[in-house]
């Protein structure tokens, strides 16, 4: 028997024992993707965590213990409502002041890289500001002194103002309905220390009664970019009962099926599918085959 002929059986044995060790899973399993987070239904481009939904949204949105959260450079906020018909969502800042509870707040910042923008109907109110703050500079024109004065009077009539060191119905000279001349949207920043203000409130609706601040709707209303359906891949996936997500270093589309198998198209069996469970079974069966082949070679 020639040398190449002697080597071939052992080479074949090596391939059988290690058939898939060097082949990575094309689409890693992701059992954490769900279509609900608490009471909020999740639809593309939103997802419950990394690998779920659209990759751009996944950087800012995640579901933690049944609470849908939105992350920015200034903190983590709870998403209280999500409306797919209007492409809007409302954030709740636990440190933001409302009529019933006022306290020192942190800043709020919305990065330019996000697919979200602040709704123009949203009203930001700066509370407990220093009279030397730049917001009161008449040359800057940063405060709405028209209808905004009614909003300030409403908030300063609340008993909650004691939380920022004021008495109910205090003079509104330290309140500002923040109305900068630049367009509010992505890249918006509210830096309270720089503005020399103690707290802020955000109002996205008056609840049908502008005279009663207890009925006002407090939160930060955002609109999201819904131009991420570039083809029918996600629709086909959802129609088959799957959840749209992504995988790999290139963050390519993945349809995450409820049976633990991820595919590149849908859960009806079309497209490339790879399961970590199947991979383990194939490796085990091939390894057993390699051992049997080895014993056969001993008796040849």
């Amino acid at each position: 028997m020639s040398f190449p002929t002697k080597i071939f059986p052992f080479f074949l044995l090596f391939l059988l024992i290690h058939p898939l060790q060097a082949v990575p899973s094309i689409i890693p399993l992701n059992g954490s993707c769900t279509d609900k987070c608490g009471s909020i239904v999740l639809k593309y481009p939103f997802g419950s965590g990394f690998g779920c939904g659209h990759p751009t949204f996944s950087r800012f949105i995640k579901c933690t213990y049944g609470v849908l959260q939105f992350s920015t450079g200034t903190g983590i906020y709870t998403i209280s409502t999500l409306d797919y018909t209007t492409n809007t969502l409302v954030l709740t800042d636990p440190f933001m002041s409302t009529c019933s509870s006022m306290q020192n707040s942190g800043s709020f910042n919305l990065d330019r890289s996000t697919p979200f923008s602040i709704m123009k109907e949203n009203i930001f109110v700066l509370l407990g500001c220093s009279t030397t703050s730049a917001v009161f500079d008449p040359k800057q024109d940063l405060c709405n002194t028209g209808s905004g004065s009614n909003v300030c009077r409403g908030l300063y009539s609340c008993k909650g103002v004691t939380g920022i060191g004021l008495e109910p119905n205090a003079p509104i000279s330290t309140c500002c309905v923040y109305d900068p001349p630049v367009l509010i949207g992505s890249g918006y920043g509210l830096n309270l220390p720089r503005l020399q203000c103690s707290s802020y409130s955000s109002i996205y609706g008056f609840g049908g009664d502008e005279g009663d601040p207890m009925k006002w709707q407090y939160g930060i209303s955002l609109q999201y970019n819904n131009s991420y359906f570039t083809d029918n891949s996600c629709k086909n996936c959802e129609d088959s009962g799957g959840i749209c997500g992504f995988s790999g270093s290139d963050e390519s589309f993945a349809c995450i099926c409820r049976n633990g198998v991820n595919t590149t198209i849908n859960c009806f069996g079309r497209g490339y599918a790879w399961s970590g469970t199947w991979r383990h079974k194939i490796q085990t069966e091939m390894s057993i085959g390699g051992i049997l082949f080895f014993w056969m070679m001993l008796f040849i």
Side-chain angles (χ1 to χ4, degrees):
M1 184 181 294
S2 65
F3 179 77
T5 306
K6 292 180 181 180
I7 291 297
F8 176 76
F10 295 99
F11 175 73
L12 183 59
L13 172 63
F14 176 82
L15 291 179
L16 287 171
I17 294 177
H18 303 280
L20 298 173
Q21 294 293 335
V23 181
S25 176
I26 303 300
I27 303 177
L29 288 178
N30 190 340
S32 63
C33 292
T34 61
D35 56 5
K36 286 191 72 176
C37 182
S39 60
I40 298 179
V41 176
L42 298 178
K43 298 179 182 180
Y44 193 81
F46 291 87
S48 57
F50 186 78
C52 314
H54 193 278
T56 301
F57 281 67
S58 180
R59 296 182 181 94
F60 306 97
I61 306 291
K62 69 174 181 178
C63 181
T64 304
Y65 300 111
V67 178
L68 195 60
Q69 296 179 327
F70 180 93
S71 299
T72 73
T74 51
I76 299 175
Y77 308 89
T78 298
I79 298 176
S80 56
T81 62
L82 177 55
D83 191 334
Y84 294 99
T85 59
T86 59
N87 299 338
T88 59
L89 56 98
V90 175
L91 306 182
T92 300
D93 182 351
F95 299 107
M96 184 182 69
S97 289
T98 65
C99 185
S100 58
S101 175
M102 297 191 188
Q103 57 193 323
N104 291 337
S105 306
S107 299
F108 177 78
N109 182 67
L110 189 63
D111 301 331
R112 290 187 180 276
S113 61
T114 72
F116 306 92
S117 60
I118 296 174
M119 297 286 289
K120 63 180 181 180
E121 295 83 4
N122 213 99
I123 300 173
F124 282 96
V125 188
L126 304 178
L127 307 168
C129 301
S130 169
T131 55
T132 60
S133 170
V135 297
F136 299 123
D137 185 345
K139 296 179 181 179
Q140 297 287 340
D141 192 25
L142 297 176
C143 298
N144 180 345
T145 56
S147 59
S149 298
N150 295 327
V151 175
C152 283
R153 288 191 186 93
L155 286 173
Y156 273 27
S157 71
C158 299
K159 293 181 179 179
V161 295
T162 58
I164 56 173
L166 298 175
E167 293 296 326
N169 299 309
I172 62 171
S173 56
T174 60
C175 175
C176 168
V177 173
Y178 195 48
D179 189 21
V182 296
L183 179 66
I184 293 178
S186 294
Y188 181 80
L190 196 64
N191 190 326
L192 293 189
R194 184 174 62 83
L195 296 174
Q196 299 178 352
C197 298
S198 300
S199 184
Y200 83 94
S201 183
S202 180
I203 305 163
Y204 67 93
F206 291 104
D209 191 346
E210 294 189 24
D212 187 354
M214 286 296 293
K215 295 180 180 179
W216 295 354
Q217 296 166 303
Y218 297 94
I220 303 171
S221 181
L222 304 180
Q223 188 162 41
Y224 63 89
N225 185 345
N226 197 31
S227 61
Y228 289 89
F229 288 91
T230 56
D231 53 38
N232 291 325
S233 299
C234 185
K235 185 178 185 303
N236 291 336
C237 173
E238 290 180 339
D239 289 346
S240 68
I243 298 175
C244 302
F246 60 94
S247 71
S249 58
D250 60 347
E251 298 182 334
S252 57
F253 175 80
C255 183
I256 301 161
C257 304
R258 301 177 190 279
N259 61 0
V261 177
N262 299 344
T263 77
T264 57
I265 300 181
N266 59 49
C267 300
F268 287 143
R270 292 179 294 164
Y272 186 88
W274 196 262
S275 164
T277 303
W278 293 352
R279 181 174 184 240
H280 177 72
K281 288 181 178 179
I282 293 173
Q283 282 182 306
T284 303
E285 292 174 1
M286 292 294 286
S287 297
I288 293 175
I291 295 173
L292 292 175
F293 178 79
F294 174 75
W295 282 104
M296 291 174 60
M297 291 301 299
L298 290 178
F299 296 98
I300 293 179

